């Protein structure tokens, strides 16, 4: 019996959710603790000041008065105020929200990689393995341990590649590529956005060479 598409997607979603929670368990079991080791303090500053500026002073977060005697805030390349996760920060506070967001981005990374692997006709077990290796490898978890919130934007990389590959056959997918790149920029993707553009450039060059043949 063939399972409906919704049920085929449900169990990977549940599995990836469980893996994301397990990977972030040390953070989730200490929701109210803010670690000041490594770079947590620096990146928490970028996360907390915009929320404080809006909620306390009812001002647009354009300036950070707490860093170097004053520094641009909204124009800072690691500013994440336009992230779709920002309402979570207003609702729960930055200390809790950033930890939940770490887990959420691991889930996004796994789902995106799973979909990309399926695009290449990998089997479902192989796609799950690929998703787990990308999202749960040291590249993500070490950065999260250091408190590097900017690294979360890399979660959208598999989706950007997936929609780019689809756009080669159907231009209707181009807005989705732009949306993935925009999310990276909105989430302080100072490294993820340019590196993803570089990767897409290589893929475009390969696709052009293949088309000429």
């Amino acid at each position: 019996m063939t399972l409906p598409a919704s049920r085929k997607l449900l169990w990977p979603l549940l599995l990836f959710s469980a893996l994301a929670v397990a990977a972030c368990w040390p953070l989730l079991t200490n929701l109210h603790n803010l670690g000041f080791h490594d770079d947590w303090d620096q990146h928490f500053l970028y996360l907390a000041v915009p929320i404080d500026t809006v909620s306390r002073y009812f001002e647009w977060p354009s300036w950070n008065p707490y860093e170097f005697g004053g520094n641009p805030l909204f124009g800072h390349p690691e500013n994440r105020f336009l992230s779709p996760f920002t309402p979570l920060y207003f609702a729960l506070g930055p200390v809790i929200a950033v930890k939940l967001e770490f887990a959420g981005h691991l889930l996004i990374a796994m789902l995106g990689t799973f979909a990309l692997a399926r695009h290449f006709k990998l089997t479902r077990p192989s796609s799950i393995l690929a998703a787990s290796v990308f999202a749960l490898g040291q590249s993500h978890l070490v950065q999260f341990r250091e408190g590097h919130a900017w690294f979360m934007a890399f979660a959208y990389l598999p989706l950007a590649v997936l929609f780019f590959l689809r756009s080669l056959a159907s231009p209707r997918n181009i807005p989705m590529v732009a949306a993935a790149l925009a999310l990276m920029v909105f989430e302080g993707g100072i490294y993820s956005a340019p590196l993803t553009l570089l990767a897409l450039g290589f893929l475009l060059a390969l696709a052009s060479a293949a088309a000429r043949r």
Side-chain angles (χ1 to χ4, degrees), residues 10-34:
L10 178 60
W11 72 265
L13 176 60
L14 294 176
L15 174 61
F16 293 149
S17 298
L19 290 174
V21 170
C24 292
W25 191 249
L27 296 177
L28 299 177
T29 52
N30 294 278
L31 275 178
H32 296 280
N33 296 337
L34 175 62

Side-chain angles (χ1 to χ4, degrees), residues 97-179:
V98 66
K99 297 175 182 179
L100 297 178
E101 194 181 0
F102 278 146
H105 277 79
L106 286 181
L107 176 59
I108 293 171
M110 283 186 277
L111 290 173
T113 308
F114 179 80
L116 179 60
R118 295 294 287 167
H119 174 83
F120 285 109
K121 309 301 182 183
L122 270 67
T123 64
R124 294 174 73 83
S126 297
S127 300
I128 290 173
L129 177 61
S132 302
V133 169
F134 173 71
L136 303 180
Q138 292 300 307
S139 59
H140 278 85
L141 300 185
V142 168
Q143 298 289 350
F144 288 1
R145 179 190 178 277
E146 300 294 312
H148 294 163
W150 55 264
F151 199 86
M152 288 190 280
F154 275 105
Y156 303 107
L157 189 155
L159 291 173
V161 174
L162 171 64
F163 289 118
F164 173 79
L165 294 174
R166 289 181 177 178
S167 72
L168 297 177
S170 173
R172 291 180 298 176
N173 288 282
I174 293 177
M176 299 303 296
V177 181

